[in-house]
């Protein structure tokens, strides 16, 4: 599909930089007012290269906003009991306001049990079953970072989302499902598509808001997109093209010129994810302080 590219590029990188700068100001104020420094603990088990890159980026950005960063790197043969023991220590440590266990975990560890061992009030990834339940029932929750970032960009672009038809492609626990819950919370009419959905293109064409989190390079073609839709592309896919390795999203960006706005990949959703992790840590800090007072 060839068309004049008129869609606005949603600048997730700039949006994230702005959020991080506001968080740095807030952390400074917290330090002055309370004498305390919010802290984030990140636990990495094993040496998966992509996970190491993510953990290093989280460590650097946590320090850049003035928070304490505690990184725990454990060997790949760490037992479930050893990991649980560390989480119990972190749960009880008042200097730690947020805890994140980098996924995926080595196969011998029970990821659900590990996540549910984190104090839900320190669960800054929002994956604990209690936070998932709170989100699903419209209660105050710590919300998974990637969909939270997507929602912020959508509200910035559209203002009220009420009454919009939203289609979320992908139903993972970390992106698709919480994204759908958040959009329902904004009074969108939400449809969730997945690998067994019939006629995904026809469903996508009904979307005023289209969020795609599948992990298939450029799966969503231009003619799946309704003219004027806002498209959020969560996918991160490494492909070879023209003899070069490059990162593309789940949406064929060059074909999406008739959307009103679209997030690029890279530079769209990705930068917002860590920014929202930092935001969740500050939120967790405030809630913990309020509980004490
Ligand atoms: P998962 O693999 O956990 O989930 C993928 C989802 O896509 C599943 O629900 C699956 O359906 C669905 N799906 C697969 N094939 C199709 C298809 N042909 N048509 C419709 N639906 C399909 O992935 P994640 O949610 O963890 O991640 C999705 C993408 O987002 C990945 O590229 C990942 O790298 C990226 N990502 C980016 C982040 C960021 O910070 N920007 C953060 C997290 C993820 P079913 O349930 O039926 O199997």
């Amino acid at each position: 599909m060839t068309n004049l590219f008129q869609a606005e590029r949603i600048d997730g990188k700039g949006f994230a930089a702005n959020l991080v700068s506001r968080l740095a100001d807030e952390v400074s104020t917290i330090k002055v007012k309370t004498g305390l420094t919010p802290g984030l603990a990140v636990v990495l088990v094993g040496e998966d290269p992509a996970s190491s890159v993510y953990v290093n980026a989280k460590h650097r950005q946590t320090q850049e906003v003035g928070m304490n960063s505690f990184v725990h790197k454990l060997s790949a043969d760490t037992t479930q009991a050893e990991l649980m023991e560390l989480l119990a220590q972190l749960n009880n440590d008042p200097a730690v306001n947020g805890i994140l266990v980098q996924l995926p975990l080595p196969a011998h560890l029970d990821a659900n049990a590990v996540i549910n061992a984190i104090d839900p009030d320190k669960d800054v990834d929002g994956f604990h079953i209690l936070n998932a339940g709170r989100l699903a029932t419209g209660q105050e929750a710590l919300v998974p970072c990637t969909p939270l970032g997507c929602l912020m960009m959508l509200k910035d672009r559209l203002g009220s989302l009420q009454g919009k038809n939203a289609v979320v492609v992908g139903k993972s626990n970390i992106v698709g499902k919480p994204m759908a819950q958040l959009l329902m919370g904004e009074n969108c009419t939400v449809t969730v598509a997945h690998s067994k959905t019939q006629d995904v293109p026809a469903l996508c064409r009904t979307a005023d808001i289209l969020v795609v989190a599948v992990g298939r390079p450029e799966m969503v073609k231009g003619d799946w997109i309704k003219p004027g839709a806002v498209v959020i592309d969560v996918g991160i896919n490494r492909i070879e093209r023209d003899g070069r390795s490059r990162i593309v999203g789940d949406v064929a960006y060059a074909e999406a010129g008739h959307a009103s706005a679209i997030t690029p990949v890279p530079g769209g959703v990705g930068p917002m994810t860590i920014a929202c992790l930092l935001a969740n840590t500050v939120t967790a800090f405030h809630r913990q302080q309020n509980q004490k007072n």
Side-chain angles (χ1 to χ4, degrees), residues 146 169-172 174-175 193-196 200 213-216 219 234-237 250 269-270 273:
T146 301
V169 189
K171 63 168 170 59
S172 70
I174 65 168
V175 188
H194 49 79
S195 68
K196 308 295 185 291
V200 178
V214 168
R216 289 176 176 256
M219 181 185 88
V234 182
I236 301 175
N237 308 288
D250 288 343
V269 174
T273 296

Side-chain angles (χ1 to χ4, degrees), residues 8-12 150 153-154 210 212 230-235 249 251 253 261-270:
E8 182 194 323
R9 180 180 178 279
I10 300 175
D11 178 13
C150 296
M153 291 191 287
L154 282 168
L210 179 60
V212 190
V230 177
V231 181
I232 304 288
D233 187 353
V234 182
V251 178
Y253 186 91
I262 179 169
T263 55
V265 179
V269 174

Side-chain angles (χ1 to χ4, degrees), residues 58-109:
K58 288 168 186 173
H59 173 63
R60 183 174 41 79
Q61 292 201 35
T62 302
Q63 289 189 322
E64 279 171 7
V65 294
M67 296 198 288
N68 288 327
S69 169
F70 310 100
V71 177
H72 296 264
K73 293 189 176 173
L74 308 182
S75 65
D77 60 0
T78 299
T79 65
Q80 185 90 11
E82 287 166 337
L83 186 50
M84 292 298 201
E85 171 59 29
L86 173 61
L87 292 176
Q89 281 172 28
L90 297 173
N91 285 341
N92 289 322
D93 186 343
V96 172
N97 304 104
I99 303 170
L100 174 156
V101 177
Q102 185 67 41
L103 301 177
L105 285 169
H108 68 281
L109 296 171

